[in-house]
Amino acid sequence: METEPSETVGVDIVDTRYVMCILDSRGMDPRYYRGRVDTPLGQANFFSKVGGRDVIMPSSSLAVLAMKLLKESQLVVKDEDEHYAVWADAGIERGERMARFAALLLYRNRHPSDSINDKQRQQLMLLQDAELAGLLSVVETSQTIIQDVLSGKTDGKTYAKALGNEVKSRQDPVIKAEIQKEHASSPFADGDSSFLAKLYRELENLQ
């Protein structure tokens, strides 16, 4: 296997194919490689290129295999829906550009003191804004669903989904600070033991 620990690898996966971008020790000179994620040959080529380099990739069957074959310290797996999809919504094209963007993000994480150019800085700021917008959207959607349930417009399954979204959003310190600014009074009486009242109190306790 090739081993270049000072280099960083960004990976994007679209359907059954991966695109890999390798940046040199300065975070420059991108090289691209492609292959299939669902064949032994494609997987072998992938890991031969990764070698001992640090790599960031989306959650996938290939990522599961990477967890078994690579060192924990060299692998970063980002959730497809919570990260890669958000980056795509922010304007990062899937494929080569996404792979390079991920590699750059990992490089900045590994080399925080190095300088970056204006274009790279704009890309990272775009990512930060997109992630914040995505988290705020989770909160807003969840609270809308909860109000629909309380007014009898939907069912308990939808409420459970909203509750899960609220729990996820509260794990982020920025979002937690935002939602704690508004704390509405409970629409249920203190002695109300109905299913919705119990769920509402459970949600309130999460704050």
Side-chain angles (χ1 to χ4, degrees):
M1 283 188 177
E2 299 177 18
T3 56
E4 294 290 343
S6 61
E7 297 185 328
T8 53
V9 180
V11 179
D12 189 23
I13 297 177
V14 180
D15 296 326
T16 60
R17 301 192 66 85
Y18 69 79
V19 179
M20 174 191 301
C21 175
I22 301 178
L23 299 180
D24 64 16
S25 59
R26 302 168 298 161
M28 303 174 65
D29 189 25
R31 291 113 60 201
Y32 298 96
Y33 303 92
R34 297 171 179 77
R36 296 185 65 91
V37 302
D38 58 347
T39 66
L41 179 59
Q43 295 169 358
N45 288 336
F46 176 85
F47 289 107
S48 69
K49 294 298 183 185
V50 171
R53 302 176 176 93
D54 290 342
V55 57
I56 179 173
M57 62 191 303
S59 54
S60 60
S61 59
L62 187 62
V64 174
L65 186 58
M67 291 178 185
K68 297 179 180 179
L69 299 179
L70 301 179
K71 296 178 181 178
E72 182 178 354
S73 60
Q74 75 180 101
L75 177 64
V76 176
V77 177
K78 292 292 187 179
D79 186 89
E80 167 65 33
D81 295 329
E82 295 182 8
H83 294 276
Y84 276 74
V86 171
W87 300 341
D89 289 342
I92 307 299
E93 185 179 351
R94 299 304 295 254
E96 283 190 1
R97 291 187 179 182
M98 182 67 75
R100 184 175 183 178
F101 181 77
L104 176 62
L105 186 67
L106 181 61
Y107 176 83
R108 291 300 306 145
N109 181 265
R110 296 290 196 261
H111 306 83
S113 62
D114 292 351
S115 61
I116 59 177
N117 59 41
D118 290 340
K119 184 176 181 179
Q120 291 171 331
R121 186 177 293 106
Q122 289 175 359
Q123 287 181 320
L124 292 177
M125 290 178 65
L126 179 64
L127 165 64
Q128 187 178 44
D129 290 344
E131 288 187 321
L132 179 58
L135 286 169
L136 287 171
S137 177
V138 168
V139 177
E140 181 179 354
T141 302
S142 299
Q143 292 177 341
T144 300
I145 294 175
I146 291 172
Q147 292 301 318
D148 288 343
V149 174
L150 294 178
S151 61
K153 296 180 180 179
T154 185
D155 56 24
K157 290 183 179 180
T158 306
Y159 188 91
K161 180 179 179 181
L163 180 61
N165 285 346
E166 286 285 286
V167 172
K168 183 186 297 183
S169 68
R170 292 172 198 278
Q171 294 173 354
D172 185 276
V174 176
I175 302 303
K176 184 175 182 180
E178 288 293 326
I179 61 179
Q180 285 182 339
K181 291 180 181 179
E182 297 183 3
H183 183 75
S185 59
S186 173
F188 299 100
D190 292 339
D192 192 336
S193 60
S194 66
F195 174 73
L196 289 179
K198 291 179 180 179
L199 283 177
Y200 186 91
R201 294 189 187 101
E202 181 180 351
L203 177 61
E204 290 300 295
N205 289 334
L206 292 174
Q207 299 185 32

